[in-house]
Amino acid sequence: MKNWSLALLTAIVLAACSPMEVAGTSDTAPSQADELALEALHQSLLTVDTHIDIPIELGTDLADPGLDGPMQVDFPKMRSGGLDAGFFIVYVGQTSVTPEEYVAAYSKAQDKFAGIERMLARYPEQISLARNPDEVRQILADGRLVAAIGIENAFPLGPNLEHLQEFYDRGARYISLTHFGHNDFGSSSDSRGGAEGYVEPEHQGLSDLGKQLIDKMNALGIMVDVSHTSPDSTLQAAAYSKAPVIASHSGVRALYDHLRNLRDEEIIAIADSGGVIQLVAFDTYMRSVSEENSAAIGQIREELGFGGGQTTTQETVNQYRARLAALDATFPRASVSTLVDNIDYVVNLAGIDHAGISSDFGGGGGIKGWDNISESSAVTAELVSRGYSEEDIRKIWGENLLRVWKGVEEAASR
Ligand SMILES: [Zn+2]
């Protein structure tokens, strides 16, 4: 990897521009030289996306990451988009908290692990599992892509945390305490989930079991993730954990009032723990959606047969995304600029060491300008245009997250 400095890039760009271009066209489309310099900078970064959802068919011919296909993330797109490392997600939705549903949740987690493990076994020359930050750098130095694993929702761990060690052994290095819907570990930002509709949380914030889980995660070296938890749970987790905590895919409440977004005090608490907020490219968490816009989205979903319990193929999901993008002319989605507004906000409030990036691709993520992983340099372009230094951009794109991960490991070994 080349280490381009921004000063050097500026020199290259200026040398390549004619005097007229330098004098008069800075507000028009970037020149080819600008684009080459930007691409060189972007490709030189160590980039980490902390939230990539997967279909359960991952690694089969139905969802083959070795091909440039309909998924928002595959190896050709990671390569062309300069995305080095992804946390692939073992997501299990929250259902009723019953013994039967605990068993079902564990089984669903098995399906997701199986998908990631199939991907790794099918393409060992292209991608490897990293269990710590040193392995991330080692795998990249060997020319391969990096897969890491995050668990979204602690529910499949079981009521006695009986599956925690197994998940750790299979590579899980962060766990989101909740998803939508409260669970035995703590209250969620949103009561959806389960068959009951709205439910009051049994615990305001973390339960004793939630604290026990954090103790064990601290001891193993698994990052505590507070994306999806309620403000009470977030603040308590940040205060209780002996290691830094993360928000693996969250936005800023002050910029858009959505239950999934973090309030200022949560952002500060995560930063004070030494942790990082990975700002997420999830359109409907980033802007208000008008009724007309919502109806248009509903219409597309209906036409594609979503929500009727049918199996959905990657092609259909891709069509859905294309049709959402086509709505931009009438109802503009959040854009890369909106994402960087979220990054700016966290940097201004908490400091440059506490902001990062996540896509939520495969799980609803995707915005104008960053709609699949091949377009990742657009985020770097926006950061450059807002005056972030090369060092800052390196922190935001991956070094902050790797520092936190390392800190969590060190806390475990103490
Ligand atoms: Zn999520």
Side-chain angles (χ1 to χ4, degrees), residues 266-325:
E266 296 174 86
I267 293 168
I268 290 166
I270 293 165
D272 283 351
S273 82
V276 62
I277 295 107
Q278 302 286 109
L279 284 317
V280 68
F282 199 106
D283 174 44
T284 55
Y285 299 166
M286 299 163 84
R287 61 165 180 123
S288 70
V289 179
S290 68
E291 270 179 41
E292 294 88 341
N293 191 173
S294 190
I297 295 170
Q299 170 87 15
I300 295 171
R301 295 181 68 88
E302 203 181 306
E303 283 170 23
L304 291 174
F306 287 4
Q310 306 92 322
T311 0
T312 309
T313 63
Q314 288 303 307
E315 276 75 16
T316 317
V317 175
N318 199 29
Q319 273 179 39
Y320 174 60
R321 295 220 56 78
R323 291 190 59 184
L324 286 185

Side-chain angles (χ1 to χ4, degrees), residues 83-381:
L83 197 281
D84 297 317
F87 275 80
F88 292 82
I89 301 305
V90 173
Y91 155 69
V92 176
Q94 186 62 49
T95 52
S96 310
V97 180
T98 63
E100 297 74 28
E101 289 300 320
Y102 266 116
V103 172
Y106 174 68
S107 160
K108 287 175 200 162
Q110 292 297 318
D111 292 342
K112 295 292 178 76
F113 267 113
I116 296 167
E117 287 161 1
R118 256 193 322 265
M119 169 178 82
L120 293 166
R122 186 165 173 174
Y123 293 106
E125 72 293 347
Q126 290 212 52
I127 191 162
S128 295
L129 179 68
R131 293 178 181 81
N132 57 59
D134 292 342
E135 285 186 1
V136 171
R137 296 183 201 278
Q138 213 171 348
I139 292 165
L140 291 174
D142 291 344
R144 291 191 301 274
L145 299 166
V146 174
I149 297 177
I151 310 277
E152 186 170 28
N153 196 358
F155 190 46
L157 298 173
N160 301 301
L161 310 175
E162 51 269 53
H163 308 303
L164 178 64
Q165 184 70 46
E166 179 203 330
F167 289 2
Y168 174 80
D169 291 342
R170 291 169 86 169
R173 289 300 180 271
Y174 80 67
I175 299 174
S176 324
L177 302 177
T178 70
H179 190 250
F180 292 123
H182 316 300
N183 61 21
D184 279 343
F185 306 91
S187 52
S188 166
S189 65
D190 190 314
S191 67
R192 275 183 290 170
E196 299 89 351
Y198 180 84
V199 283
E200 286 294 337
E202 195 177 327
H203 316 277
Q204 286 294 350
L206 296 181
S207 65
D208 286 344
L209 185 66
K211 288 178 183 162
Q212 273 178 46
L213 172 58
I214 290 178
D215 286 338
K216 292 195 170 179
M217 288 167 72
N218 285 167
L220 285 168
I222 301 177
M223 292 180 275
V224 173
D225 176 26
V226 295
S227 281
H228 284 288
T229 55
S230 69
D232 283 341
S233 296
T234 300
L235 296 174
Q236 290 170 21
Y240 184 79
S241 174
K242 292 182 189 70
V245 303
I246 66 167
S248 69
H249 60 304
S250 285
V252 171
R253 184 80 70 107
L255 296 179
Y256 179 54
D257 189 7
H258 188 288
L259 287 171
R260 268 286 278 112
N261 291 338
L262 297 166
R263 297 162 199 250
D264 285 4
E265 56 178 334
E266 296 174 86
I267 293 168
I268 290 166
I270 293 165
D272 283 351
S273 82
V276 62
I277 295 107
Q278 302 286 109
L279 284 317
V280 68
F282 199 106
D283 174 44
T284 55
Y285 299 166
M286 299 163 84
R287 61 165 180 123
S288 70
V289 179
S290 68
E291 270 179 41
E292 294 88 341
N293 191 173
S294 190
I297 295 170
Q299 170 87 15
I300 295 171
R301 295 181 68 88
E302 203 181 306
E303 283 170 23
L304 291 174
F306 287 4
Q310 306 92 322
T311 0
T312 309
T313 63
Q314 288 303 307
E315 276 75 16
T316 317
V317 175
N318 199 29
Q319 273 179 39
Y320 174 60
R321 295 220 56 78
R323 291 190 59 184
L324 286 185
L327 286 181
D328 278 342
T330 328
F331 308 108
R333 286 176 299 165
S335 65
V336 170
S337 170
T338 327
L339 175 65
V340 178
D341 290 345
N342 278 258
I343 293 172
D344 280 349
Y345 190 92
V346 169
V347 169
N348 289 329
L349 182 68
I352 189 67
D353 293 332
H354 305 288
I357 297 170
S358 61
S359 68
D360 214 343
F361 287 149
I367 54 177
K368 192 167 187 290
W370 193 33
D371 218 359
N372 69 62
I373 210 74
S374 76
E375 299 175 333
S376 301
S377 68
V379 182
T380 303

